[in-house]
């Protein structure tokens, strides 16, 4: 079959690889119907050291079950399924607590012999725990929105949930990428009435307004901080959802959070050390939370409103390519010509 | 009157200063009955640059109201009062939210013309908001325990509250100073059944056991982390209450926190930058919280059990001196000969 591999920074290729086969009785083979490129795929796209073997890419997909191992109990051939960006058993203590990204037996796509989602098919470990069956066919108009439940929607939702967003909290969302926009949508769903979106790509921030942003701040750095403070009587917002992962975004988060507030990060940090002392987090009793979203926990709760059309998160996809064009999808997202690119194998 | 000033690292003196007088109609003059030296006083004791004027010291005291400004409504001469380590109006939005350390009109002892508590008397700004009247006399045997409500008890409690300690959370407390021991007591009060105290001074950890610690780990660094992990099936604890403030304690906190757990800091950080990236906080979805405790918020809720004797936090005081001996109190605490020294002006 054909599958997308990255061989180093900027070097994405679609290559021939062996078809995936059932290796363990808990596996399923899923034929990919929709996949996509993630903002977090751009991090290795910028910095991955050259590798001769390459790394299978893609951790977001909707597909159809083609084959199941003998221990798979809840899925059968023909089921349309959503895969979260981490696979998990669904039964360990962490999964039962809703922290599937820390599953005791789980893992991530594209590692340790597991393929990626930007491919024709993939072997899904722990299929019963990992996959969520949805009652639509592969011709459904909802596929793009369902695909966001693989990562960006659940990730934006995680940011808002961990921040404790509710009707009494003001919110700043940092980043107008797909996760930032999903954070806006999620904050709105959780009842927030004031949502300030920091982003400078008008097409994206316009979509953010449709998802629920009440204010848009295009400035960055000190000017952006000043603008948010001016919008909030000098105080900043109760919650800040950081959907970028670079240090300037973190510094911006510190600058716009209200004393006693929460910074919730879901952009994968591209730094290890950062300010957390008296002058940043400690003095004003600011809480820092977030991490890789256990999106598996959020698929079922978020699914009904996607299925009934009351939310339409699939609008973050503004371009569509075939599998062979996946390398162009990376290029377009890296150049910010595309917000998020859907891949149709 | 006599008051304690610090003139540089290691240089604490009791000197003559003018008696405090009412300067604003919201002031009260309080005669100090009990004060003490705080672990956080040792930070400037180690690092304060030499200063000719000196800095008034002490932010914990119980005293008797001697005089009130004309706008003070709730206090009168003769009232015995507890002062929190930050003064606050009690009426602004932050105070109403319980974040008195961010009061819009508040401040801290020993700054901007306000004296300190290690003195014969002090002018208390915003006396109605700041002081809590208690129904005991200045000969009460409860004074030492009441004095802990000025800082260390409320600070330990803040650590536990912000961490979300309850009957389902396991707890590690880092630090066997007075705040660490109060964090143990607080975690126990909030229902925790497993409380691991990391500390290596047996007299202190013995007291910690009496306050509720179920396990004591004397090792530090990697050995300490390994010991806590061994006690917790490899996982670490749901909550970690960091009551030290130095970088090794923070690193220890990262090492012993369970994925999805909370590190709650109340030791004043002696660092600004620290690890918070994928390899420390982000990857395992660990939350970092805490800050200067709004102890004013906790005095009323914690007071009844102090008054009825069901808790006895005053046991953290293991030495008592007169005001003139305050410099020796610093020395004894710095040498760890004393856990916490009570000062009787």
């Amino acid at each position: 079959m054909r599958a997308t591999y990255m061989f180093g920074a900027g070097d994405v290729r679609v290559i021939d690889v062996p078809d995936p086969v059932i290796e363990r009785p808990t596996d399923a083979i899923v034929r990919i119907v929709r996949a996509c490129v993630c903002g977090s795929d751009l991090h290795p796209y910028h910095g991955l050291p050259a590798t001769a073997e390459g790394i299978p890419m893609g951790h977001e997909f909707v597909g159809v079950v083609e084959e199941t191992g003998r221990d798979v109990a809840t899925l059968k051939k023909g089921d349309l399924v959503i895969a979260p960006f981490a696979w998990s058993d669904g039964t360990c203590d962490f999964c039962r607590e809703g922290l599937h990204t820390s599953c005791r037996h789980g893992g991530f796509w594209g590692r340790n012999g597991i393929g990626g989602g930007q491919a024709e098919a993939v072997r899904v470990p722990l299929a019963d725990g990992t996959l969520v069956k949805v009652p639509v066919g592969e011709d459904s108009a909802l596929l793009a929105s369902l695909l966001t439940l693989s990562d960006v929607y659940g990730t934006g939702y995680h940011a808002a949930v961990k921040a404790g967003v509710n009707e009494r909290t003001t919110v700043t969302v940092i980043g107008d990428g797909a996760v930032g926009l999903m954070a806006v949508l999620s904050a709105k769903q959780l009842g927030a009435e004031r949502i300030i979106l920091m982003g400078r790509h008008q097409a994206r921030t316009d979509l953010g307004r449709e998802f629920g942003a009440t204010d848009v701040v295009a400035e960055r750095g000190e000017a952006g901080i000043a603008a948010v403070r001016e919008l909030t009587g000098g105080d900043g917002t109760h919650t800040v959802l950081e959907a970028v992962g670079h240090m300037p975004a973190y510094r911006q988060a510190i600058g716009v959070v209200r004393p006693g507030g929460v910074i919730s990060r879901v952009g994968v940090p591209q730094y290890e050390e950062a300010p957390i002392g008296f002058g940043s987090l400690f003095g004003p009793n600011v809480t820092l939370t977030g991490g890789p979203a256990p999106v598996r926990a959020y698929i079922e709760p978020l699914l009904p409103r996607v299925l009934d059309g009351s939310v339409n998160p699939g609008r973050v996809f503004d371009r569509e390519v075939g599998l062979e064009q996946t390398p162009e999808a990376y290029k377009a997202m890296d150049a910010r010509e595309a917000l998020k690119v859907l891949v149709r194998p």
Side-chain angles (χ1 to χ4, degrees), chain A residues 249-292:
Chain A
Y250 177 69
R251 291 192 186 276
Q252 216 160 276
I254 289 172
V256 301
V257 67
R258 186 174 181 274
V262 184
I263 297 171
S264 185
R265 293 181 300 167
V266 289
V268 180
Q270 301 303 301
Y271 51 84
E272 186 58 40
E273 304 246 332
I276 64 168
F278 205 97
S280 48
L281 300 185
F282 189 86
N285 267 281
V286 168
T287 295
L288 177 66
T289 190

Side-chain angles (χ1 to χ4, degrees), chain A residues 187-207:
Chain A
K188 176 80 177 169
Q189 273 186 270
L190 291 168
E193 291 172 4
R194 184 83 185 273
I195 303 170
I196 302 169
L197 173 58
M198 303 189 80
R200 62 202 176 108
H201 300 83
Q202 205 191 328
R204 301 178 182 192
T205 56
D206 283 352
L207 184 53

Side-chain angles (χ1 to χ4, degrees), chain A residues 230-248:
Chain A
E230 193 178 322
L231 286 170
T232 53
D235 287 342
T237 55
H238 299 95
T239 64
V240 180
L241 314 184
E242 198 281 86
V244 178
H246 290 291
M247 182 59 91

Side-chain angles (χ1 to χ4, degrees), chain A residues 33 62 64 78 80 134-143 146:
Chain A
V33 174
V62 166
V64 171
L80 190 109
V134 283
V136 303
E138 60 181 291
D139 57 347
S140 167
L142 295 173
L143 293 188
L146 293 169

Side-chain angles (χ1 to χ4, degrees), chain A residues 102-124:
Chain A
S102 293
C103 173
R104 294 193 186 273
H105 307 105
F108 297 87
W109 307 107
R111 300 184 194 174
N112 305 315
I114 314 293
Q118 294 161 9
E120 289 185 87
V122 70
R123 175 171 71 90
V124 176

